[in-house]
């Protein structure tokens, strides 16, 4: 903000950190940053209506910080929480602050260390009048793609947090997909870190261009300076940490009845990675295939590129479907094309693919699923056999690919006019009298499947409680 000519007051529980920030601002061009000691002094330095952005750990620390700041704030002021917060908490805080006339905005921020310094993706949700007050700051500070800022008004409070949550869920899926491709490249083809780095660098020049592909190439090229043998990645323990946003996304997908198998598979993969000691023991007991399939290296590499592209499309399709469902339920009126634009720069999932996604959603804002956009459908249809070959190769080689295979399953389920759900519903009616609909006539039906089945009375009452 200070680099964009905004005068900024900063505060922290530790005044030493405040002093360090002010000193850094002086060293980086005498930037207009004023250090404050305590919330009273901090709020007194702000022009009215005050605009406060807080960046603290989600949960109780946010509530505590708001309580301290709001004591010295007035009606019309704005508090923006830029943390990864569970969206119902933002809605609650907005309601509590509204009693004092203070506006509250929950704003998702993505970009990591680079974005924080050079321009992140900003996803604000809150009262429109409050957004209008901070819009000049956001448009100036957000990442830019050409002349377009990677930010915009998402919708009412909670919507910004929700969009950021789904962004992180897509991020989980994207990282898992890339890791599975990496696993096949090294285990099936036998490529070295250097060869894989060169391949990812090449892929980053085309349709797979993205921040995560770019950093994967860099990671694979990094030599280990502690042992001077091999790459750093070879010494990283295969146990993935997480902060919880991926879990929230999967929970919300279940709550909204939206299938999100790629994201769910990526979360499950992190859970499985955490059971390192169990996996080590199991590796001595459980067996994999004894014969490996013959492969054509060049064909497998080409197929992997196609499979990764298709899987990424389905992952975005799942995330956007989830945002759409929540938006409809909560009457947020979220613009999915804006989501794609906000994610095009500054954030972790930024990718060339998002430009095509934005265009598809601008062309048809009521698109039921990204996969049925004419251009995406054509691309997936052309690549789907390569996608199948990769999943088949992974299974035959004993290499787990939960995200790649879940993505393909999502595609296959969505494209089929008829699914075996008829048998599942018949089973439900058999043991629970849950009734069913017929394909040849209107109405609700129950079958006396055996002589033991009795008349169940009012059929409509049997469907009460269905979600």
């Amino acid at each position: 903000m200070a680099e964009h000519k905004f005068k900024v007051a900063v505060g922290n529980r530790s005044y030493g950190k405040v002093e360090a920030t002010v000193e850094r601002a002086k060293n980086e061009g005498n930037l207009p940053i004023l250090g404050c000691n305590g919330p009273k002094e901090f709020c007194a330095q702000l022009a009215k209506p005050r605009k406060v952005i807080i960046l603290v750990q989600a949960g109780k620390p946010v509530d505590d910080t708001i309580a301290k700041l709001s004591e010295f704030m007035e009606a019309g002021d704005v508090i923006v929480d830029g943390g990864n917060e569970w969206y119902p908490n933002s809605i609650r805080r907005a309601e509590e602050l509204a009693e004092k006339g203070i506006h509250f905005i929950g704003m998702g921020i993505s970009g990591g260390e680079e974005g924080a310094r050079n321009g992140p993706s900003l996803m604000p949700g809150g009262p429109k009048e409050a957004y209008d007050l901070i819009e000049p700051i956001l448009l100036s500070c957000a990442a830019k793609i050409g002349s377009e800022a990677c930010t915009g008004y998402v919708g009412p409070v909670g919507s910004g947090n929700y969009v950021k949550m789904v962004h992180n869920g897509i991020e989980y899926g994207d990282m898992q997909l890339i890791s599975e491709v990496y696993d096949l490249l090294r285990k099936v083809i036998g490529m070295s870190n250097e060869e894989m780095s060169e391949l990812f660098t090449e892929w980053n020049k085309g349709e797979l261009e993205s921040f995560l592909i770019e950093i994967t190439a860099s990671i694979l090229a990094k030599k280990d300076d502690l042992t001077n043998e091999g790459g750093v990645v070879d010494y990283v323990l295969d146990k993935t940490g997480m902060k919880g946003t991926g879990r929230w996304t999967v929970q919300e997908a279940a709550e909204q009845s939206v299938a999100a198998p790629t994201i769910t598979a990526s979360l499950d993969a992190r859970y499985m990675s955490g059971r390192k000691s169990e996996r080590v023991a199991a590796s001595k007991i459980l067996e994999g295939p004894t014969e490996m399939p013959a492969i054509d290296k060049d064909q497998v590499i080409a197929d992997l590129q196609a499979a990764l592209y298709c899987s990424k499309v389905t992952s975005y399709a799942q995330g956007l479907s989830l945002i759409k469902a929540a938006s409809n339920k909560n009457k947020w009126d979220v613009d999915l094309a804006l989501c794609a634009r906000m994610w095009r720069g500054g954030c972790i999932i930024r990718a060339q693919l998002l430009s095509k996604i934005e265009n598809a959603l601008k062309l048809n804002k009521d698109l039921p699923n990204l996969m049925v956009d004419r251009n995406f459908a054509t691309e997936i249809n052309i690549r789907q056999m390569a996608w199948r070959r990769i999943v088949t190769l992974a299974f035959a080689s004993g290499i787990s690919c939960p995200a790649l295979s879940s993505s393909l399953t999502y595609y296959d389920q969505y494209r089929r006019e008829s699914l075996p759900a008829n048998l599942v519903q018949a089973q439900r009616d058999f043991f629970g009298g849950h009734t069913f609909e017929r394909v040849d006539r209107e109405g609700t039906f129950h079958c006396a499947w055996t002589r033991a089945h009795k008349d169940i009375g009012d059929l409509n009452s049997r469907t009460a409680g269905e979600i």
Side-chain angles (χ1 to χ4, degrees), residues 141-329:
C141 297
K144 304 290 191 302
I145 297 295
S147 61
E148 290 187 316
C150 297
T151 189
Y153 181 61
V154 176
V157 68
S159 61
N161 296 115
Y162 202 97
V163 169
K164 175 53 165 57
M165 174 195 74
V166 173
H167 162 286
N168 285 23
I170 294 171
E171 177 185 306
Y172 271 51
D174 209 348
M175 294 170 72
Q176 179 63 28
L177 289 167
I178 293 170
S179 74
E180 291 174 13
V181 169
Y182 154 77
D183 206 19
L184 287 164
L185 288 171
R186 63 174 180 158
K187 295 295 187 182
V188 175
I189 299 181
M191 293 178 71
S192 67
N193 288 343
E194 292 79 7
E195 290 172 323
M196 288 187 286
S197 177
E198 291 173 3
L199 179 61
F200 279 104
T201 298
E202 187 63 30
W203 281 354
N204 200 47
K205 298 175 183 177
E207 64 185 11
L208 292 176
E209 184 273 321
S210 68
F211 173 72
L212 287 171
I213 293 290
E214 177 188 343
I215 68 168
T216 299
S218 297
I219 289 168
L220 290 167
K222 183 64 176 176
K223 302 294 185 182
D224 185 55
D225 55 6
L226 295 181
T227 64
N228 293 319
E229 294 182 9
V232 175
V233 70
D234 301 320
Y235 296 94
V236 176
L237 181 67
D238 57 327
K239 188 175 180 180
T240 308
M242 58 188 136
K243 292 291 182 68
T245 47
R247 181 190 304 147
W248 289 345
T249 307
V250 172
Q251 288 173 341
E252 268 299 298
E255 185 66 29
Q256 302 297 337
S257 299
V258 172
T262 307
I263 299 170
T264 302
S266 69
L267 180 65
D268 287 342
R270 294 197 182 196
Y271 291 148
M272 187 65 78
S273 76
R275 296 182 174 273
K276 176 66 175 179
S277 59
E278 291 183 37
R279 290 188 288 113
V280 170
S283 69
K284 299 176 175 60
I285 302 170
L286 305 177
E287 298 179 355
T290 55
E291 296 181 9
M292 293 299 170
I295 63 165
D296 179 314
K297 177 180 178 181
D298 292 338
Q299 182 67 58
V300 172
I301 290 174
D303 286 353
L304 279 169
Q305 180 178 355
L308 181 54
Y309 182 81
C310 291
S311 297
K312 285 164 72 74
V313 172
T314 63
S315 184
Y316 278 104
Q318 294 161 37
L320 291 167
S321 294
L322 178 53
I323 293 173
K324 183 178 182 179
S327 177
N328 290 341
K329 180 179 179 180

Side-chain angles (χ1 to χ4, degrees), residues 368-380:
N369 188 289
L370 189 62
M371 294 187 297
V372 297
D373 167 74
R374 183 180 62 183
N375 293 324
F376 280 119
T378 299
E379 290 182 334
I380 295 174

Side-chain angles (χ1 to χ4, degrees), residues 399-445:
I399 304 295
S400 60
C401 61
L404 287 167
S405 58
S406 293
S407 299
L408 178 57
T409 298
Y410 177 78
Y411 167 77
D412 275 337
Q413 285 188 306
Y414 194 80
R415 70 173 181 81
R416 290 185 60 190
E417 181 181 353
S418 178
L419 293 171
N422 56 325
L423 178 58
V424 175
Q425 190 60 24
Q427 291 171 332
R428 294 183 75 235
D429 186 58
F430 187 104
F431 65 70
H434 293 292
T435 74
F436 55 89
E437 297 175 82
R438 294 181 62 98
V439 297
D440 59 347
R441 63 197 69 192
E442 297 292 323
T444 302
F445 298 86

Side-chain angles (χ1 to χ4, degrees), residues 14-82:
S14 170
Y15 189 62
K17 293 183 179 179
V18 173
E19 292 177 315
T21 301
V22 171
E23 183 62 26
R24 180 179 175 183
K26 289 180 180 179
N27 295 334
E28 295 188 14
N30 204 27
L31 300 175
I33 291 182
L34 175 67
C36 302
N37 191 2
K40 182 176 182 179
E41 180 183 342
F42 173 77
C43 291
Q45 295 294 335
L46 301 178
K48 299 179 182 180
R50 300 175 180 87
K51 295 169 279 290
V52 177
I53 298 178
I54 59 176
L55 294 165
V56 297
Q57 184 179 348
K60 188 174 183 299
V62 177
D63 291 318
D64 293 343
T65 303
I66 289 174
K68 292 174 183 177
L69 289 168
S70 61
E71 183 180 347
F72 306 102
M73 297 178 73
E74 304 169 5
D77 291 345
V78 182
I79 295 178
V80 181
D81 174 26

